[in-house]
Amino acid sequence: MGRIAVFGTQEINRDGHLYIGGIDTNDLAGEFGTPLYVYDTALIKDKINQFKKAFDKHEGLNWQIAYASKAFSTLAMIQLVNEQGLSLDVVSGGELFTALKAGMDPERIHFHGNNKSESELAMALDARIGAVIVDNRDELELLERMCTERDQQIAILLRVTPGIEAHTHEFIMTGQDDSKFGFNLANGTAQQAVKQALQAAHLQLIGIHAHIGSQIFETNGFTGAIRVMLKHVNQWTRELGFALNVLNVGGGFGIRYTEKDRPLPITSYIDAIVETAEEECARYRLPMPALWIEPGRSIVGEAGTSLYTVGAAKTIPGIRNYLSIDGGMADNIRPSLYQAEYQAICANRALEPKTNKVAIAGKCCESGDILIKELMLPETCSSGDLLAVFSTGAYGYSMASHYNRIANPAVVFVENGEATLVVRRESYEDLIRCDVPLKNLSPNI
Ligand SMILES: *Cc1c(COP(=O)(O)O)cnc(C)c1O
């Protein structure tokens, strides 16, 4: 049909319409309404395969990819992840519940978080999940006590802070760690935890974990963390008889939001991680552990596109043109929360010259609800047109709120010309479903 490829399965047709998964986004908006989250599931599977291939290249290596479900957790997404054979990270009872409901193999579920409650841990133990990533001493003691009472064994990893913090374009080593997560390596807290875990009869300490940041575009944060971790592991092996079976280096692999973002190929991250771990293990004569990673954003981020209908336009001469859309910070908090930047196009006028500089404003009662500060759009893009915002697949739906009592949008998966509704749009009734009125409601509506 002579469409122009954009990204993943995104294409621009000759009529200027954006297609995803072989479907016209204008038809998707017509059928499912806007705002709408559209996921290109072929691209999700492609990303998963890139990670798998990158590991497969390293023969004899034992590895696991755990999708960090906080990036985007729904029954359908977990089913897809389970089907692809990935493991899964959960950070709360709610994420664990979703995973179990979706039929995720409990063996492949890993439970994270810095303040897991007793009832959340009980849920994890009842389900016999694969591993708990223990964050602090209180949790270590609570878990051992619970497992003793139940006479149940559980595999654990200890989360450590290697004193390395990765930022978007650099990483820094901090002398004094200041993090709410994990056991500090530098001040001996981690060593103490290892000692304690080794003595806990019901806990099998299989490894250590670090997650150094997110949207990382370099490998040196990962390799630096591995060097620091294995240096300590060497000491614990000699002094405490610790055996490292699993080295978990977390997630944080960067993605492309705008053309300013230049993520490395997935193989570059994995090669650097594997090679550094092998080098350091050889240096200390340690057996090579299994390598686990936890990508979230890099699995789903680029696969998601948000569709909005353009509404009111306002021009402040000499200052700014505003175009308002029917969504905003309620369905995508990232611009207001961390000045995140996005790229977007007019999905029904994608081939018209982009001559109008606009700000894309959300509909919430916050001046900060600006989805995109500066975007070039066709002069003609106006009320009733369709706006497609790219790379909204991670931390969009999962961070959505009901601010201004805005109902959460629907989510559709698209592939090979087929659209599947995986989350229905919330209704007004959904919005008040947990409300308990003070008196009998008069039937106004
Ligand atoms: C958030 C998080 C991840 C995933 O991070 P991404 O940037 O989405 O890849 C992985 N592991 C842990 C422990 C996390 O908190």
Side-chain angles (χ1 to χ4, degrees):
M1 283 185 74
R3 291 186 194 144
I4 307 162
V6 186
F7 204 67
T9 68
Q10 293 165 354
E11 299 170 304
I12 310 284
N13 198 22
R14 270 172 305 181
D15 59 3
H17 285 201
L18 172 71
Y19 279 60
I20 308 175
I23 308 182
D24 189 338
T25 51
N26 294 268
D27 293 343
L28 290 172
E31 185 177 351
F32 301 102
T34 59
L36 183 68
Y37 300 103
V38 180
Y39 282 82
D40 176 354
T41 46
L43 186 55
I44 296 177
K45 288 181 244 178
D46 177 57
K47 296 285 178 186
I48 292 173
N49 276 325
Q50 287 185 43
F51 276 108
K52 285 181 179 169
K53 271 199 203 143
F55 274 121
D56 267 338
K57 243 177 42 188
H58 300 272
E59 259 176 59
L61 183 73
N62 193 335
W63 50 268
Q64 251 190 68
I65 303 162
Y67 167 62
S69 71
K70 70 176 191 227
F72 173 59
S73 163
T74 67
L75 294 176
M77 181 61 197
I78 308 300
Q79 286 176 302
L80 193 158
V81 165
N82 195 17
E83 237 172 59
Q84 297 292 308
L86 298 194
S87 301
L88 193 78
D89 279 1
V90 298
V91 216
S92 69
E95 285 181 4
L96 176 56
F97 180 80
T98 308
L100 295 171
K101 279 278 175 190
M104 183 74 199
D105 174 8
E107 253 304 300
R108 284 187 276 131
I109 299 177
H110 310 152
F111 195 6
H112 269 282
N114 64 304
N115 192 22
K116 305 174 188 83
S117 70
E118 184 159 349
S119 68
E120 286 175 320
L121 287 172
M123 223 174 131
L125 290 170
D126 284 343
R128 303 200 169 262
I129 66 161
V132 173
I133 290 84
V134 175
D135 184 272
N136 53 68
R137 212 181 73 182
D138 285 333
E139 184 188 341
L140 193 62
E141 286 167 5
L142 174 61
L143 193 59
E144 170 61 6
R145 176 169 66 69
M146 291 175 72
C147 287
T148 308
E149 280 165 13
R150 294 161 162 257
D151 195 20
Q152 185 178 343
Q153 300 279 320
I154 183 92
I156 64 164
L157 281 79
L158 297 181
R159 178 165 184 165
V160 299
T161 50
I164 285 173
E165 226 182 301
H167 296 288
T168 303
H169 292 287
E170 87 258 35
F171 81 102
I172 50 166
M173 300 216 38
T174 49
Q176 197 61 38
D177 277 342
D178 181 4
S179 169
K180 75 167 183 171
F181 295 110
F183 296 96
N184 194 298
L185 276 176
N187 69 11
T189 311
Q191 166 146 4
Q192 190 51 43
V194 170
K195 215 184 272 177
Q196 201 171 338
L198 288 173
Q199 283 161 6
H202 295 82
L203 309 181
Q204 288 141 13
L205 177 61
I206 60 169
I208 57 169
H209 165 278
H211 172 72
I212 54 168
S214 203
Q215 190 60 352
I216 300 167
F217 290 124
E218 291 181 351
T219 59
N220 52 5
F222 291 104
T223 56
I226 292 170
R227 286 197 186 91
V228 172
M229 286 198 283
L230 288 177
K231 189 183 106 192
H232 288 274
V233 166
N234 179 46
Q235 193 191 340
W236 304 336
T237 306
R238 318 274 158 225
E239 293 174 14
L240 307 174
F242 171 59
L244 182 78
N245 293 314
V246 175
L247 182 66
N248 187 332
V249 297
F253 312 99
I255 68 161
R256 192 199 66 163
Y257 285 99
T258 71
E259 56 274 22
K260 280 190 272 179
D261 299 322
R262 305 219 174 265
L264 297 172
I266 283 168
T267 46
S268 306
Y269 295 107
I270 303 304
D271 285 348
I273 288 167
V274 175
E275 282 157 21
T276 306
E278 282 174 346
E279 272 166 35
E280 296 304 293
C281 284
R283 175 209 304 269
Y284 299 119
R285 297 196 177 79
L286 292 169
M288 183 67 182
L291 293 179
W292 292 9
I293 58 163
E294 307 174 322
R297 189 192 310 274
S298 51
I299 302 271
V300 282
E302 290 173 358
T305 305
S306 299
L307 301 181
Y308 302 99
T309 301
V310 175
K314 160 173 157 169
T315 299
I316 311 172
I319 297 185
R320 204 182 286 278
N321 301 326
Y322 285 95
L323 271 189
S324 291
I325 51 167
D326 57 354
M329 67 189 291
D331 62 81
N332 187 352
I333 190 74
R334 294 188 68 258
S336 337
L337 193 58
Y338 347 90
Q339 288 83 50
E341 292 182 18
Y342 286 91
Q343 187 57 46
I345 61 169
C346 186
N348 57 317
R349 302 179 186 277
L351 295 177
E352 293 180 27
K354 297 171 182 172
T355 50
N356 192 23
K357 193 201 276 185
V358 299
I360 303 296
K363 65 180 275 132
C364 288
C365 292
E366 285 287 327
S367 304
D369 184 18
I370 304 291
L371 204 53
I372 302 176
K373 276 214 181 91
E374 287 190 352
L375 177 68
M376 295 305 294
L377 283 180
E379 209 72 46
T380 50
C381 180
S382 58
S383 182
D385 283 339
L386 190 66
L387 189 80
V389 180
F390 298 117
S391 297
T392 59
Y395 308 108
Y397 174 79
S398 68
M399 285 187 162
S401 76
H402 291 120
Y403 182 49
N404 286 155
R405 288 241 140 165
I406 291 172
N408 284 347
V411 183
V412 291
F413 280 5
V414 293
E415 189 168 346
N416 292 328
E418 238 182 85
T420 311
L421 182 72
V422 297
V423 179
R424 71 163 170 79
R425 184 174 302 283
E426 280 183 327
S427 64
Y428 291 136
E429 286 298 330
D430 288 329
L431 288 172
I432 58 165
R433 104 198 131 210
C434 298
D435 290 14
V436 181
L438 288 175
K439 286 186 199 161
N440 285 345
L441 280 179
S442 52
N444 285 338
I445 308 178

